[in-house]
Amino acid sequence: MGKLLIKGATVITVESHDSVINGGEIAIEGRNIVSVGPAGSAPEGFVPDRTVDASGMLALPGFVNTHTHAAMTLLRSYADDLPLMKWLEEKIWPLEARLEEEDVYWGTLLCCLEMIRSGTTTFADMYFFMDQTARAVEKSGMRADLSRGMIGVGPEAQQALDYVPGFVDRWHGRAGGRITVRLGPHAPYTCPPDYLKKVIDLAGKLDVGIHIHLAETRTEVEDMARLYGMTPIQLVDSVGLFELPVLAAHCVHLNEKDIEIMARKRVGVAHNPESNMKLASGVAPVTKMLEAGVTVGLGTDGAASNNNLDMLEEMRSAALLQKVSTMDPLALPSFQALSMATAGGAGALGMGDRLGLLKEGFRADIILIETRKPHLFPRNDWMAHLVYAAQSADVHTVIIDGNIVMEGRRVLTIDEDEVYDQVQRRAERLVAGK
Ligand code: NI
């Protein structure tokens, strides 16, 4: 197993606001961190194959983007400034109907490229042609939790159920364990209770979790109340969804009882502040969820509704949005935002025992951030710098599962020019209606 030593970094372990080690070092063996501490703390007899000099850099856990639709990078800037349902029904769904398998592969590679370059090491995706997504993830070197989006109405409904067992078999635990799989029933308004029950049965049999959009818009809450007399959260709980591990995206419109259920049933939340702002969906009650003990991670959502996949920017937006919406400058302080983007996301994915912190025994998913930048001086508080001032271009090196995937801003796993050419050509074909 390869041994890697990162030396001289200011190590932000994200265990607490104060867990900052100046001139620290991180020893890595294979895919795991074997020690984190001050200079000279690597285990006795640890002889690295390679030493990375990280003087002048911050070392922190890679970001966990808990909600994406990776190949939607192909639709970036195709339809903007529209409400959610009009955006979906008139723009996004018709264009997605023309997507071919190879499109999804190249769109996902573009997504991975953008995420690696902005310090994301793990993402949770929901889309279709997921074998192509998995292929792209495998190539990129990233870690991903992949779910096949499922719509419970129309001919797609059964097709999606039939697809999933093979997909789980082909990819769950594959790419050296970097890829995990879930089922992705899209939302309560596209997956009626009878269909959701089928999805729940199948996920139980396959022993995998669920990724779903919940309580995203006020319209969804009103429709569920009219049809079933329940909130979206209470509806899916009533059919047994929360007996499985669930990653729930958005959770914008919640009442007290919803939050209590989510805490008790250990639902992981993917908070997507920029997508919620752009589609004018509302402001998720993040502070209330955290106070109630709900595990909340951060996500960008697809590139068509954000429009980038930059987790540094998302952290900043999350913090600012909680402050302004609660009129409380103490809401979501910098450390809490950073924790949400790393450990919180890992927890929401059920991977909090191995991802999201720099800690012995955890996976070596580490990013190095350059600090000799005008916007990062003077050095009073690194947490504040990371959340309120840092930029994705400050990310210098990215290590995933013990492998260096980007070094000195050069991505080693993906041919950037080939991705740009492919994506541009494919997007032009899609927009032209072919
Ligand atoms: Ni989404």
Coordinates of all heavy atoms in Angstrom, one line a residue, residues 3 35 40-47:
K3 N 2.3 4.9 0.7 CA 2.3 5.8 1.9 C 2.6 7.2 1.5 O 3.6 7.5 0.7 CB 3.4 5.3 2.8 CG 3.0 4.0 3.5 CD 4.1 3.6 4.5 CE 3.7 2.3 5.2 NZ 4.9 1.4 5.5
S35 N -2.4 8.9 10.8 CA -2.2 9.8 11.9 C -2.4 11.3 11.5 O -2.1 11.6 10.3 CB -0.8 9.6 12.6 OG 0.2 10.1 11.7
G40 N 6.3 15.6 13.1 CA 6.9 14.5 13.8 C 6.0 13.5 14.4 O 6.4 12.6 15.1
S41 N 4.7 13.7 14.2 CA 3.7 12.8 14.8 C 3.4 11.5 14.1 O 2.6 10.7 14.5 CB 2.4 13.6 15.1 OG 1.8 13.9 13.9
A42 N 3.9 11.4 12.8 CA 3.6 10.1 12.1 C 4.2 8.9 12.9 O 5.1 9.1 13.6 CB 4.3 10.2 10.7
P43 N 3.5 7.8 12.7 CA 3.9 6.6 13.5 C 5.3 6.3 13.3 O 5.9 6.5 12.2 CB 3.0 5.5 13.0 CG 1.9 6.2 12.2 CD 2.4 7.5 11.8
E44 N 5.9 5.7 14.3 CA 7.3 5.3 14.2 C 7.5 4.3 13.1 O 6.6 3.4 12.9 CB 7.7 4.6 15.6 CG 9.0 5.3 16.1 CD 9.4 4.6 17.4 OE1 8.8 4.9 18.4 OE2 10.3 3.7 17.3
G45 N 8.5 4.4 12.3 CA 8.8 3.5 11.3 C 7.9 3.8 10.0 O 8.0 3.0 9.1
F46 N 7.2 4.9 10.0 CA 6.4 5.3 8.8 C 7.3 5.9 7.8 O 7.9 7.0 8.0 CB 5.3 6.3 9.2 CG 4.4 6.6 8.1 CD1 3.3 5.9 7.7 CD2 4.7 7.8 7.3 CE1 2.5 6.2 6.7 CE2 3.8 8.1 6.2 CZ 2.7 7.3 5.9
V47 N 7.6 5.2 6.7 CA 8.5 5.7 5.6 C 7.6 6.0 4.4 O 7.1 5.1 3.8 CB 9.6 4.7 5.3 CG1 10.5 5.2 4.2 CG2 10.3 4.2 6.5

